[in-house]
Amino acid sequence: MKRSRLPDALRTTTALALMTICAPAMAQQIETQTPEPETMSLAPVTLLADRQGTSTREVPASVTVIDGEEIRARGLDDMQELVRYTPGVTVQRQTTATDPFNTFGGFTIRGVGGNRVQMLIDGSRVPERITDGTRDYLDFAFTKQVEIAKGPSSVLWGADALGGVVAVETIDPEDLLQGRDSGGMARMAYDSLNDGSSISGAFAQRFGNDWSIMAGLSRSAAHEAELSNARNDGGIYGCPRNVEYGATPCGELNPTDTDATHAIAKAVWKPSDEHRLELSFDWLDRKTEVQYDNTLGPVYSTMTGLPTGEVNHNYDRDLDMTRKRFGLEYVWTPENRLVDEVRTTLAYTPSGYDRSGKKWSTSSAGDQMITRDYLGYDEDFVELDIQATSRFETGSAKHTVTWGFDGDHTKTDYSRLDVASNLTTGDVTETPAGGFNFANADTRRADIYVQDQISLLGGALEITPGLRYATYKIDPRPNGDYQVIDGAEPRIREDEKLLKSLGALYRFGDGWQVWGHYGEGFKMPTAQQLYTSVPGAFFDMTPAPDLKPEEVKSIEFGLRRETARGYFGLTAFNADYDNFIQSFYNPPGTSDYTYRNLSEMRVWGLEFEAAYEISDTLRLTGAASWQKGDQRVDPDAEETPTTLPPLSGNVALSWDTPQDGLTVDVVGVFASSVKYVESEDNFKPAGYGLIDTYARWQVAENAVLNMGVRNLFDKRYFEASAATYSSAASTSVAASNPIELQTGAGRAFTASLDFTF
């Protein structure tokens, strides 16, 4: 299965070279529009903060926008790389026994992650992560921008946006047309870290004044990342792998092949200024194959540490992940002014994955065994969002009221089957409903919301109150393989909550602003948290149908100033969570593992960002996040620290010469170590510092060459003391055994060539 790295690299490098040579000639035949250079006074526009499209520096919220140009220029081609330069936001890469495919479990914002951060693509939900699964559904080939809202955003975007929102917006036909009748883009890219190569293209055409269409296709391929500073001997923790049997050394990742196809299509009909109708289709299919070689050789008991007598000879594992979206959006801007705009979106988004494995082993009795495992997980959404905007005045106050309905119906299905074939005796044993089996379920969310942005004192003061009435119902559908536990049978769960928010922003002096925001959120337990039921030989996974919803109350304060040559912002935040759900709790004196509510959890901290134009060609930017947290299991227990990197940040120096078409960025990224955790066995990340450098060269009017080196300098302050580690400096870390360690990043060269036509 493992392919040689050299042919892919040669093909990609040759293609890039040929395209660079041909670029000037192509530029003479293809017209394009060169965008004007951005000035310091311009700021990205956010939809997350107010659903209206406002500058990030004009809203009482902490929002980061990563635009498509930055994604392409820096080769940010996955979830972890996307937030590499966003302090306080991280993504964990998974290399566990349940998910060995080097995928991502979701975003962590201000210490709160996983399913507590809502992920959206063009306004549609991304499936939640289950214990033996992934949340790696994002692909950035056709991305206009990504918005990251830090802190609860439940009033506008859903009650379960407990820790924040990450929203991806894809390109529209007009992004390619730019006022013309036809236009398009093409891109080729290479990343030496995982020998990844990709090629993509999109084309748009306008038909008269009413119709425009676009279509895009992307193909990519990659292998496992090559780590440059991970130790094969496992460092101070040793290496428990049977390297002499051919097991993957502790300083490497298992051989991996990944291939992905991403297709997108949109059609826009605009018969008049009052009406706009958009049909869209978005499809991503990603296949990953892993030689799970780290388990080769004799098997040792995780309970006693002694050999079991079993020997693993080969283990191949496959993952096929699919995300689809069929969308219909209608925008009506009536002239009667009672309602300025009504935006209605109806979408069907089926997503999920199939996972399989085939293991050849010798049993403790000496029999030859072939074991196959299958897992299927699907979340299919039908979503309806109706957003209306009304603008009016009451005396000297100006109002922008955003109100509407946000609802969806979700069908969740989980299946698991293990088949053991004894080649020696001919016996075949099938075991359904293993792993983390839980009852299938149907979920209904139906919310109404309203937010009023009130402008006072001639626009100097803005006050923004908001309400959301959130309702939730989950109806289990256990199949015949589900193991019912007396007293904990699956049953319908319903809840409702009135959520409140209040924002205020005051402008004064010479470009000064002070702002504050209060927000609430609540999140119902998932089907897996409520209904997991798996009896086992050594322990039982038991349901927890009486779990309470998680809740949060958050408050933020900020200070900003913007001048002709610079900008800075300082934010302080505090979030108090109640009934936080703990996974795999072992009640004392039992062999059961279940879910339970923690009494409370608190996260607080400071965030800083700044930019300054040293000269017309030189710009200095920086950002930092300091955060801490603690949690309490019950009202009488002592507080224990949460695992948060106390300080992280970056500093960048950008040199831009428009007359030469050249931009050079040097970015330093750092994070301090975590010193205090709940116990010595808990996850304890190390600190690190690194330097990246990028160059962007306008080689022709319609062609841009991007090149970069990540981890040009990489310094780790001390080793981590846990199995899983993820940061801007770390590509991937060890798996299921807590003494394994695979920290380290590979020094990576990235290159891409972008065309517009």
Side-chain angles (χ1 to χ4, degrees):
M1 183 202 70
K2 173 91 172 134
R3 300 192 299 263
S4 169
R5 292 175 174 269
L6 187 57
D8 284 349
L10 284 175
R11 282 194 295 269
T12 306
T13 305
T14 302
L16 286 171
L18 289 173
M19 293 183 73
T20 303
I21 294 171
C22 296
M26 295 178 64
Q28 296 175 5
Q29 303 174 16
I30 304 174
E31 274 188 41
T32 188
Q33 293 182 349
T34 304
E36 296 180 0
E38 183 179 352
T39 63
M40 181 63 69
S41 61
L42 298 178
V45 171
T46 173
L47 291 172
L48 285 182
D50 59 2
R51 280 184 175 252
Q52 294 298 327
T54 306
S55 166
T56 56
R57 299 173 192 168
E58 297 294 333
V59 293
S62 180
V63 181
T64 297
V65 176
I66 306 170
D67 63 29
E69 182 177 343
E70 180 181 352
I71 291 172
R72 292 186 293 272
R74 296 185 174 181
L76 308 179
D77 56 0
D78 62 42
M79 291 169 57
Q80 193 176 66
E81 294 297 340
L82 178 75
V83 297
R84 186 179 182 90
Y85 309 111
T86 308
V89 183
T90 58
V91 171
Q92 175 182 319
R93 184 186 290 271
Q94 302 171 161
T95 58
T96 64
T98 56
D99 183 7
F101 302 100
N102 296 316
T103 64
F104 304 110
F107 293 89
T108 297
I109 301 176
R110 294 177 176 173
V112 177
N115 297 330
R116 300 179 182 101
V117 172
Q118 189 175 146
M119 293 168 55
L120 303 171
I121 301 175
D122 287 334
S124 293
R125 289 174 175 268
V126 170
E128 295 190 329
R129 177 183 177 267
I130 59 175
T131 301
D132 44 356
T134 179
R135 216 179 181 199
D136 191 3
Y137 290 91
L138 301 189
D139 181 271
F140 304 107
F142 305 108
T143 298
K144 180 187 299 185
Q145 69 177 35
V146 180
E147 297 182 49
I148 302 172
K150 302 176 183 177
S153 304
S154 298
V155 166
L156 288 181
W157 294 103
D160 53 351
L162 214 62
V165 181
V166 177
V168 178
E169 183 182 1
T170 61
I171 59 175
D172 290 318
E174 192 55 44
D175 296 313
L176 300 175
L177 296 173
Q178 298 184 16
R180 300 167 299 171
D181 289 335
S182 63
M185 54 80 66
R187 174 179 172 84
M188 297 188 69
Y190 175 72
D191 190 334
S192 68
L193 178 65
N194 57 4
D195 196 30
S197 58
S198 66
I199 183 169
S200 61
F203 177 77
Q205 179 68 47
R206 191 188 312 277
F207 299 94
N209 297 322
D210 299 345
W211 281 93
S212 61
I213 63 171
M214 63 157 282
L217 182 65
S218 170
R219 284 281 296 157
S220 62
H223 304 291
E224 75 281 1
E226 288 192 345
L227 308 181
S228 61
N229 58 0
R231 296 176 54 173
N232 286 338
D233 61 3
I236 62 176
Y237 303 102
C239 183
R241 299 179 179 178
N242 303 301
V243 179
E244 65 276 13
Y245 280 82
T248 304
C250 285
E252 300 177 13
L253 299 176
N254 287 315
T256 303
D257 290 339
T258 300
D259 295 280
T261 301
H262 186 186
I264 189 171
K266 294 185 180 182
V268 176
W269 180 46
K270 193 174 181 181
S272 68
D273 292 339
E274 288 191 26
H275 304 278
R276 183 184 186 273
L277 183 68
E278 178 182 289
L279 295 171
S280 62
F281 171 69
D282 192 351
W283 172 64
L284 173 66
D285 183 74
R286 185 187 298 125
K287 293 179 172 62
T288 304
E289 300 176 357
V290 174
Q291 289 180 210
Y292 200 56
D293 290 347
N294 62 290
T295 61
L296 298 185
V299 178
Y300 294 84
S301 170
T302 57
M303 306 291 290
T304 66
L306 300 175
T308 64
E310 181 184 1
V311 179
N312 292 329
H313 305 294
N314 188 65
Y315 196 1
D316 290 332
R317 308 183 72 175
D318 300 322
L319 176 70
D320 187 357
M321 190 278 298
T322 302
R323 172 182 60 79
K324 297 178 183 178
R325 182 181 185 272
F326 304 86
L328 173 64
E329 180 183 84
Y330 172 56
V331 180
W332 177 43
T333 53
E335 295 182 353
N336 58 25
R337 310 305 294 172
L338 295 176
V339 177
D340 292 296
E341 180 184 89
V342 179
R343 184 181 298 268
T344 303
T345 304
L346 177 64
Y348 173 55
T349 56
S351 302
Y353 50 85
D354 293 313
R355 196 190 77 191
S356 62
K358 180 181 179 181
K359 180 172 68 173
W360 169 39
S361 64
T362 301
S363 71
S364 57
D367 296 341
Q368 297 298 300
M369 304 291 298
I370 296 293
T371 304
R372 292 179 171 86
D373 58 86
Y374 306 93
L375 182 150
Y377 181 70
D378 295 287
E379 278 193 39
D380 298 343
F381 301 92
V382 177
E383 302 168 288
L384 176 63
D385 185 275
I386 303 174
Q387 174 190 322
T389 303
S390 300
R391 295 179 176 87
F392 56 90
E393 297 182 10
T394 56
S396 61
K398 297 181 179 180
H399 300 260
T400 300
V401 180
T402 305
W403 52 284
F405 170 84
D406 182 14
D408 66 83
H409 179 275
T410 308
K411 182 180 179 183
T412 302
D413 289 291
Y414 177 96
S415 60
R416 176 71 185 263
L417 178 66
D418 298 309
V419 180
S421 301
N422 190 317
L423 303 182
T424 303
T425 65
D427 295 334
V428 178
T429 303
E430 293 189 359
T431 306
F436 299 93
N437 188 66
F438 59 92
N440 301 329
D442 292 325
T443 302
R444 185 266 295 152
R445 302 176 183 88
D447 302 354
I448 56 175
Y449 62 88
V450 60
Q451 178 173 281
D452 185 9
Q453 180 182 333
I454 308 170
S455 179
L456 301 166
L457 304 179
L461 175 64
E462 290 180 0
I463 300 175
T464 310
L467 293 173
R468 186 183 190 99
Y469 178 64
T471 67
Y472 182 103
K473 178 181 179 181
I474 181 168
D475 187 357
R477 295 181 285 101
N479 58 28
D481 296 327
Y482 184 78
Q483 303 292 317
V484 177
I485 305 297
D486 291 340
E489 298 86 352
R491 53 183 178 270
I492 295 176
R493 287 292 306 272
E494 294 185 82
D495 213 325
E496 58 188 29
K497 187 77 173 180
L498 181 64
L499 302 171
K500 302 172 287 294
S501 70
L502 178 63
L505 185 148
Y506 179 63
R507 303 175 179 90
F508 63 98
D510 182 18
W512 288 91
Q513 292 181 6
V514 60
W515 63 272
H517 184 268
Y518 169 78
E520 297 178 350
F522 97 123
K523 186 181 189 308
M524 284 292 291
T526 65
Q528 184 175 66
Q529 292 170 330
L530 292 168
Y531 308 128
T532 295
S533 180
V534 184
F538 302 103
F539 62 88
D540 298 329
M541 297 289 298
T542 60
D546 297 320
L547 286 173
K548 300 176 182 178
E550 299 176 325
E551 299 187 18
V552 61
K553 295 180 179 180
S554 170
I555 189 166
E556 299 177 69
F557 293 100
L559 178 67
R560 301 174 180 145
R561 191 190 183 200
E562 187 169 5
T563 68
R565 301 194 70 90
Y567 162 82
F568 85 90
L570 179 66
T571 302
F573 64 89
N574 181 86
D576 292 301
Y577 295 85
D578 290 327
N579 298 320
F580 219 64
I581 295 176
Q582 178 186 13
S583 303
F584 309 127
Y585 168 66
N586 176 217
T590 73
S591 60
D592 295 339
Y593 285 85
T594 187
Y595 297 83
R596 68 165 177 172
N597 291 105
L598 298 177
S599 176
E600 60 186 42
M601 175 178 170
R602 179 186 174 216
V603 179
W604 68 96
L606 296 170
E607 295 169 346
F608 175 79
E609 59 177 339
Y612 183 71
E613 286 186 344
I614 301 173
S615 68
D616 292 340
T617 60
L618 202 61
R619 175 184 296 189
L620 181 67
T621 60
S625 172
W626 174 85
Q627 53 189 6
K628 296 196 70 174
D630 54 49
Q631 62 188 26
R632 192 192 302 269
V633 176
D634 57 65
D636 299 325
E638 294 184 359
E639 293 180 346
T640 58
T642 60
T643 305
L644 300 175
L647 180 63
S648 60
N650 66 77
V651 178
L653 188 64
S654 300
W655 178 59
D656 186 10
T657 57
Q659 66 276 15
D660 299 325
L662 180 65
T663 300
V664 178
D665 296 330
V666 179
V667 188
V669 182
F670 64 89
S672 62
S673 59
V674 174
K675 296 183 179 179
Y676 305 104
V677 292
E678 185 175 356
S679 69
E680 289 299 323
D681 296 330
N682 278 28
F683 172 43
K684 191 176 181 182
Y688 62 86
L690 59 92
I691 293 178
D692 299 340
T693 182
Y694 299 97
R696 181 179 185 274
W697 180 30
Q698 189 89 34
V699 296
E701 187 180 13
N702 71 314
V704 175
L705 177 64
N706 302 294
M707 303 181 69
V709 179
R710 295 201 192 103
N711 302 320
L712 183 64
F713 166 83
D714 184 2
K715 174 64 176 178
R716 207 166 307 278
Y717 301 127
F718 57 82
E719 291 186 289
S721 60
T724 306
Y725 177 54
S726 176
S727 69
S730 176
T731 299
S732 187
V733 189
S736 53
N737 193 320
I739 66 172
E740 296 184 46
L741 184 67
Q742 290 177 336
T743 66
R747 184 166 295 131
F749 167 75
T750 63
S752 67
L753 191 58
D754 297 317
F755 286 96
T756 57
F757 53 88

